[in-house]
Amino acid sequence: MLDLFADTPPWQEPLAPGAVILRRRALADAPGLIAGVGQVVADSPLRQMVTPGGYTMSVAMSNCGELGWTTDARGYLYSPRDPQTGRRWPAMPDAFLALARACAREAGYDGFAPDACLINRYAVGAKLSLHQDRDEKDLGAPIVSVSLGLPAVFQFGGLQRSDPLRRLLLEHGDVVVWGGPSRLFYHGIQPLKAGDHPLTGACRINLTFRQTGSSNKNKNYS
C-alpha cells in the first residue's frame, strides 16, 4: 500500500525509543546510490561470507569505506582490507556519506561519521537471521540502514532474542535509523519474496552504515 504514496514527501515513522523509519527518504538518491554500488562491487565483488560456524550466508555482501565487516575462523571483525582481493576496500562514495549523515541527523543523531558501509544483496529467498550489531567499538553511534529495490519484511525486537518482534515492510527508498536505547536491539530480514524492480531487478540492495569507533574518536549523541 505504501506505493500509493511514493510521490509524497518523506515522512518519519517512530519505531522504538531511539529508532525511526524515514519513509521514502532515499527515493530521490536511489539511482546515484545504485550506481555507487556498481562502482564498489567492480573493485570488491559481492560474495556470500561463511560464518565462523561454517554456515554460508544467503545474503551476498561487500563493503566500502575505511573499514569493512567480514568473517574468518576466529569470528566477526572489521578489516581495512578486503580478504578476497587483498586490497583496501573501495572508498565510500560521496553520495553514500552525505545521505547517511543527513538521515542520522534527521533521526536525532548529529555528528554521525560512518567509516564502514556494508552492502547486502538479497536474492529471492535470502534472509538475515535475528542478530545484534555489536562488533563496533563505538556503540554510542547509530546504525543507518537504506533499502533499495524489492520490498522486504524487517523484524525489530528488543535487547533479548526472545523479546516480541515487530514486523514492518521496508520498501524502495526507506531508511531505518536506530541508536541510543535501541542500539543493540535484535533485528533481521525475512526471506525475500520474488519480484522485479526497475532499478535492481529481482533483488533487494541494503546499505548499512556504521561508525565503528576504530578510526573515529567517540562522540556524544543526543
Side-chain angles (χ1 to χ4, degrees):
M1 292 298 292
L2 291 176
D3 280 340
L4 296 174
F5 306 100
D7 295 327
T8 63
W11 71 95
Q12 294 196 12
E13 181 180 315
L15 179 56
V20 65
I21 303 176
L22 307 178
R23 293 288 187 186
R24 298 292 188 264
R25 178 59 179 81
L27 202 59
D29 302 277
L33 297 175
I34 292 171
V37 169
Q39 295 168 5
V40 170
V41 302
D43 286 338
S44 284
L46 292 159
R47 78 293 305 259
Q48 290 172 273
M49 296 184 185
V50 179
T51 69
Y55 170 73
T56 300
M57 302 178 72
S58 62
V59 179
M61 300 179 176
S62 186
N63 293 274
C64 61
E66 296 175 41
L67 298 168
W69 185 88
T70 186
T71 68
D72 63 18
R74 297 167 295 173
Y76 305 104
L77 68 152
Y78 282 99
S79 170
R81 294 185 179 275
D82 179 347
Q84 182 167 301
T85 67
R87 301 188 298 269
R88 295 191 69 88
W89 296 102
M92 194 181 301
D94 290 342
F96 284 29
L97 187 58
L99 178 69
R101 285 175 169 169
C103 289
R105 183 172 60 251
E106 292 166 20
Y109 299 98
D110 202 9
F112 183 52
D115 54 7
C117 174
L118 177 60
I119 299 171
N120 294 328
R121 184 189 66 192
Y122 292 78
V124 175
K127 64 179 181 179
L128 200 60
S129 300
L130 283 179
H131 67 283
Q132 296 171 300
D133 288 340
R134 58 183 312 150
D135 299 317
E136 300 75 32
K137 293 181 180 179
D138 186 359
L139 296 178
I143 301 292
V144 176
S145 177
V146 181
S147 293
L148 301 168
L150 291 181
V153 176
F154 179 59
Q155 301 179 113
F156 198 69
L159 290 173
Q160 305 298 322
R161 186 182 293 272
S162 58
D163 286 343
L165 292 173
R166 294 188 64 185
R167 294 175 175 84
L168 306 109
L169 185 68
L170 295 181
E171 297 193 282
H172 180 64
D174 289 343
V175 180
V176 185
V177 183
W178 68 96
S182 62
R183 174 60 177 77
L184 290 177
F185 277 18
Y186 277 88
H187 56 283
I189 293 288
Q190 291 186 347
L192 191 73
K193 294 184 177 181
D196 185 73
H197 192 276
L199 291 181
T200 65
C203 70
R204 171 184 185 256
I205 301 293
N206 172 249
L207 308 177
T208 302
F209 297 91
R210 301 166 181 175
Q211 182 171 312
T212 69
S214 299
S215 57
N216 292 285
K217 293 182 179 179
N218 286 352
K219 298 176 180 290
N220 291 322
Y221 294 85
S222 56

